[in-house]
Amino acid sequence: MHGVNAPTPGTPPGTPPGRAARLAVPAGLLAAVAGAFAYVGVVDPNEPGHYPACPLLRLTGLYCPGCGGLRSAHAVAHGDLPAALQANAPAVLGYAVCAVLWTVWVVRATRGGPPPRIDPPPVLLWSLGVLLLAFTVVRNLPFGGWLHP
């Protein structure tokens, strides 16, 4: 039986996995995210034809909460935080939250602890949803033009 906590060959049952095994998944995730950011950093989303257009924007002319996310990732990859925030501030906040959670995960894995459990209370999820809805509405109103990607 091979599972996440299965011992490696030659290791007695019940022996906790080594540090390298505990860090394998966070390292793999980091490699995938770094690869994605590197690709978006090289292939400019500001140049037409490289990425598909947002279906909502194409069909209705309205910006969704994700519009500008690739532009913000491109700006982050180039170290241009003001441009990233202008393209899509919630996306940049999301990148930061993911980086913090990943760091906590690595620290816990290094110390032999369990990965962080993400179990936000419903009020937080509803609040985030309301904030994203408000962001979407405001960026599509005439006075919210400064939020356009």
Side-chain angles (χ1 to χ4, degrees), residues 23-37:
L23 291 174
V25 174
L29 181 62
L30 176 64
V33 170
F37 268 84

Side-chain angles (χ1 to χ4, degrees), residues 1-18 20-21:
M1 179 159 85
H2 295 292
V4 175
N5 293 325
T8 55
T11 306
T15 303

